[in-house]
Amino acid sequence: CKNDVQENEKKRRSRKLMEYKIFDNLPQEAKDIRTAVFIDEQGFKNEFDEIDDTAKHILIYHDGKAVGVARFFSEDGKEYHIGRVAVLKPYRKYGYGKEIIFAIENELKKTNAERISLSAQTRVSGFYEKCGYKKVGEEYFDEFCPHIAMIKKL
């Protein structure tokens, strides 16, 4: 029980230090986080693409330091896609990933968005299910990594 209390206190303190910002372009801090997580840690090669030029990008900060990132975009204004969700390794397990998802959802609720889709690495699909996303279709590979499409109605 003591460990649970200590862990909850850590999370509560972390939330007080949390803030996020949304950008119309890909900031260097976002590039650095995505490079650290997807290229250096996970071994992906094709991390950056033309969608980065038109997507909105969210950075989440802990005590002024950028620790997590994601991007979101739409082609029709009704369905949005969330992608490239990444949190630096030392800051995982503090709820930053969930905060990023919920912050994007709150932003999209201000628009005409009806649905959000994402392409989850299969190994973390449970995280997205806890955020209310449902698996659709069959598993597929992005580079060498198994992924699954997921959706959530707003």
Side-chain angles (χ1 to χ4, degrees):
C1 186
K2 184 177 179 185
N3 285 341
D4 289 343
V5 171
Q6 289 172 337
E7 192 63 32
N8 287 335
E9 179 61 19
K10 269 189 193 176
K11 287 181 179 181
R12 188 188 64 73
R13 271 191 256 124
S14 290
R15 285 198 212 315
K16 286 174 60 176
L17 299 172
M18 227 184 271
E19 67 173 322
Y20 71 88
K21 294 180 187 170
I22 295 175
F23 299 85
D24 291 327
N25 56 10
L26 181 61
Q28 186 61 48
E29 293 166 303
K31 289 179 186 177
D32 294 344
I33 292 169
R34 285 171 52 183
T35 297
V37 172
F38 294 120
I39 297 173
D40 298 341
E41 185 181 325
Q42 296 181 6
F44 285 93
K45 304 286 183 228
N46 301 312
E47 175 50 26
F48 301 98
D49 59 27
E50 67 281 349
I51 294 170
D52 286 323
D53 298 333
T54 56
K56 291 197 179 289
H57 302 270
I58 184 170
L59 278 169
I60 194 161
Y61 297 85
H62 174 85
D63 200 19
K65 174 185 171 60
V67 299
V69 64
R71 70 180 185 186
F72 58 102
F73 59 93
S74 178
E75 294 179 9
D76 64 6
K78 300 279 185 199
E79 180 171 338
Y80 281 77
H81 186 81
I82 294 175
R84 305 305 205 262
V85 179
V87 175
L88 292 173
K89 199 169 197 170
Y91 297 92
R92 294 180 193 154
K93 303 293 182 195
Y94 290 100
Y96 290 108
K98 187 184 299 184
E99 292 295 329
I100 290 169
I101 297 299
F102 290 157
I104 293 171
E105 289 175 358
N106 286 334
E107 289 297 315
L108 295 180
K109 287 176 184 174
K110 299 174 190 174
T111 72
N112 290 328
E114 296 174 359
R115 187 167 98 154
I116 301 172
S117 63
L118 55 85
S119 177
Q121 291 182 15
T122 303
R123 66 182 183 79
V124 295
S125 61
F127 162 79
Y128 293 105
E129 287 176 318
K130 289 178 186 173
C131 293
Y133 290 79
K134 306 260 186 258
K135 294 177 183 177
V136 293
E138 299 294 320
E139 186 176 274
Y140 59 93
F141 284 82
D142 180 356
E143 291 191 39
F144 56 87
C145 183
H147 282 67
I148 187 80
M150 301 184 82
I151 60 165
K152 181 178 183 177
K153 291 183 180 177
L154 286 181

